[in-house]
């Protein structure tokens, strides 16, 4: 028999940054709130783990950047310390078979072209851009192919933009969706940069700790863990939510989960066609983040920063991910697109071998034998299903984009995928939660 709970002004589904951000705003507005989280933990796409010797690994999201004011406010509010991403030496830029320390001018100029096109996008309404329809029907790959740049420059930009930013292959996203993503962050440099960019700062204690602080601040009983919402029955007066163990009623609902999971909840009545189509057309990205742990940051002795970007090989990017005062050193790599698909088909031992061989090519033979090799596949996680975030597939932003965050009766939508600023990031998730909370507050006249 299912337990029943008191009626709330709002039930929030999901305790990632979007859901926790929404709950904070609703509580501040004096509304009664219940947060229902499927996992036995908060933080969604953040997960901080410690190896037995205390070496810290952020298996999910980890960085914040200087223009991400909302997440920064939270970090400051909780008195959480931060530290800069280590950069003691030269990066490796492996492009067209050459090993450089910065991308060639041709790459900069291609990235500038993307920036210039992104200026034509209003992130709240990408579908209104003058060439929105044509850009939506073209993939980022086909646009790149027509730019006239060298094959190496195109391959490099395809990998670092589609992979590094959208966590997919360049044929998986439209030009419009790619430009929207760039515009929502304020440009390529804020997105791709370390110093001055989204990868500038790390969190002492790991990024998941921000979510844990947010959860700890909620009044007792507001958050219920290990309660996946399986069904939402709704009409214009309110909603009834069913979890695996209880039912809840509320005047308003905020679904703060990635679209691919929002689509797996059963709605009664079924969602309007446009909303359901928008959710179906926003699959999660397929990045793999891997960590190799070494006794020392040996690459620094060779004058290398541990940062690399490559137009070939399994790892598009690597970074020195060693926390300050860490007992051991960490190199982290990212695998995207086709490489991620191929790697997922291999055994753990084969994946380890392939990744370490590439690290060896980039940083020398010492990279071949780490003490530990750790990976975590967000695609295999029942309550995430892919990373970093989801994106509308080609041809669908103009038609279905507006439906992704339009409320349906009393059901509102949050998650970083619905954000218009810093879409795909913690900051966007918090912003989306606040926007949905504001919709609820206004609807309830509070
Ligand atoms: C490997 C990786 C690296 C990343 N790097 C960065 C980075 O460095 N910086 C950055 O800003 N961002 C990064 N991101 C993206 C960032 O983590 C996300 O944008 C952000 O955490 C999304 O928050 P969210 O609240 O929208 O969604 P989520 O974090 O996915 O939260 C959704 C929550 O809903 C729960 N849920 C799902 N379905 C149900 C259900 N039916 N009922 C109840 N609960 C449910 C989930 O368990 C989850 O807790 C990274 C992500 C990954 C995976």
């Amino acid at each position: 028999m299912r337990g029943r709970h008191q009626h709330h002004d709002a039930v929030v589904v999901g305790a990632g940054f979007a859901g926790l951000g929404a709950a904070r705003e609703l509580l501040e507005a004096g509304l009664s709130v219940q947060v229902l989280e499927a996992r036995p933990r908060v933080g969604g796409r953040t997960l901080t783990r410690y190896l037995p010797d205390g070496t810290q690994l952020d298996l999910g999201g980890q960085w914040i950047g200087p223009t991400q004011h909302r997440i920064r406010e939270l970090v400051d509010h909780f008195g959480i310390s931060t530290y800069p991403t280590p950069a003691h030496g030269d990066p490796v830029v492996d492009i067209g078979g050459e090993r450089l320390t910065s991308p060639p001018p041709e790459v900069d100029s291609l990235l500038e072209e993307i920036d210039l096109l992104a200026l034509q996008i209003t992130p709240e309404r990408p579908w209104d851009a003058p060439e929105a329809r044509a850009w939506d029907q073209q993939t980022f790959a086909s646009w790149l192919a027509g730019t006239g740049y060298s094959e190496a420059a195109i391959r490099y930009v395809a990998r670092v933009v589609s992979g590094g930013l959208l966590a997919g292959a360049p044929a998986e996203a439209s030009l419009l969706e790619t430009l929207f993503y760039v515009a929502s962050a304020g440009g390529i440099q804020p997105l791709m940069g370390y110093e001055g960019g989204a990868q500038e700062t790390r969190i002492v204690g790991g990024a998941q700790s921000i979510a844990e602080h947010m959860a700890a601040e909620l009044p007792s009983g507001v958050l219920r863990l290990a309660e996946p919402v399986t069904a939402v029955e709704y009409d214009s007066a309110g909603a009834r939510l069913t979890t695996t163990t209880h039912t809840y009623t509320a005047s308003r609902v905020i679904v703060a989960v990635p679209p691919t999971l929002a689509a797996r909840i059963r709605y009664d009545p079924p969602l309007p066609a446009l909303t359901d189509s928008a959710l179906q057309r926003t699959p999660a990205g397929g990045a793999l983040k891997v960590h190799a742990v070494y006794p020392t940051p040996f690459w620094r002795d060779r004058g290398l920063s541990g940062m690399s970007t490559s137009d070939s090989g399994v790892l598009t990017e690597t970074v020195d991910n060693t926390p300050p005062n860490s007992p051991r050193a960490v190199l982290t790599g990212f695998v995207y697109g086709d490489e991620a698909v191929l790697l997922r088909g291999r055994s753990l031992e084969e994946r380890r071998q392939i990744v370490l061989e590439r690290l060896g090519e980039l940083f020398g033979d010492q990279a071949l034998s780490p003490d530990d090799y750790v990976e975590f596949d967000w695609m295999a996680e029942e309550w995430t299903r892919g990373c970093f975030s989801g994106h509308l597939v080609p041809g669908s932003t103009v038609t279905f984009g507006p439906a992704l965050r339009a409320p349906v009766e009393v059901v509102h939508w949050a998650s970083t995928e619905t954000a218009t600023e810093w879409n795909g990031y913690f900051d966007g998730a918090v912003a989306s939660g606040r926007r949905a909370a504001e919709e609820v507050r206004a609807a309830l006249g509070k």
Side-chain angles (χ1 to χ4, degrees), residues 15 35-43 215 222-228 245:
V35 180
L36 301 174
E37 166 56 48
R39 289 180 165 104
R41 64 168 183 86
V42 298
V222 166
L223 172 66
R224 294 186 64 95
L225 297 173
E227 281 217 43
T245 48

Side-chain angles (χ1 to χ4, degrees), residues 400-445:
F400 301 105
L404 207 51
R405 57 175 180 273
V408 175
E409 300 275 16
V410 297
V411 182
H412 301 256
W413 309 99
S415 86
T416 196
E417 284 81 0
T418 67
T420 56
E421 257 183 70
W422 284 109
N423 182 291
Y425 289 77
F426 303 149
D427 197 70
V430 175
S432 76
R434 289 188 185 168
R435 187 254 314 134
E438 175 54 27
E439 289 169 7
V440 167
R441 196 195 57 71
L444 296 180

Side-chain angles (χ1 to χ4, degrees), residues 275-301:
T275 308
D276 191 64
S277 300
L279 296 178
Q280 288 189 51
R281 283 166 171 75
T282 313
L288 263 179
K289 185 177 181 185
V290 300
H291 310 265
V293 183
Y294 300 94
T296 60
F298 62 86
W299 52 92
R300 296 182 192 169
D301 303 336

Side-chain angles (χ1 to χ4, degrees), residues 13-19 36-39 41-46 59-64 68 198-199 227-230 256-258 261-262 265 287 289 334 378 382-384 386-389 414-417 424-427 429 432:
V13 183
F17 285 114
L36 301 174
E37 166 56 48
R39 289 180 165 104
R41 64 168 183 86
V42 298
R45 281 170 262 181
T46 55
L59 303 178
Q62 62 175 60
W63 285 292
I64 64 170
Q68 298 176 343
Q199 286 68 236
E227 281 217 43
V229 171
T230 55
V257 311
L261 288 177
I265 296 171
K289 185 177 181 185
F334 291 91
W378 289 91
E382 181 175 15
W383 302 114
T384 299
C387 85
F388 313 121
S389 60
S415 86
T416 196
E417 284 81 0
Y425 289 77
F426 303 149
D427 197 70
S432 76

Side-chain angles (χ1 to χ4, degrees), residues 141-171:
S142 64
W143 175 79
L144 279 173
T147 56
Y149 284 83
S150 72
E151 220 178 278
I154 287 177
R155 206 172 44 239
Y156 179 86
V157 169
R159 278 169 58 114
V160 296
V161 171
S162 299
L165 306 183
L166 283 81

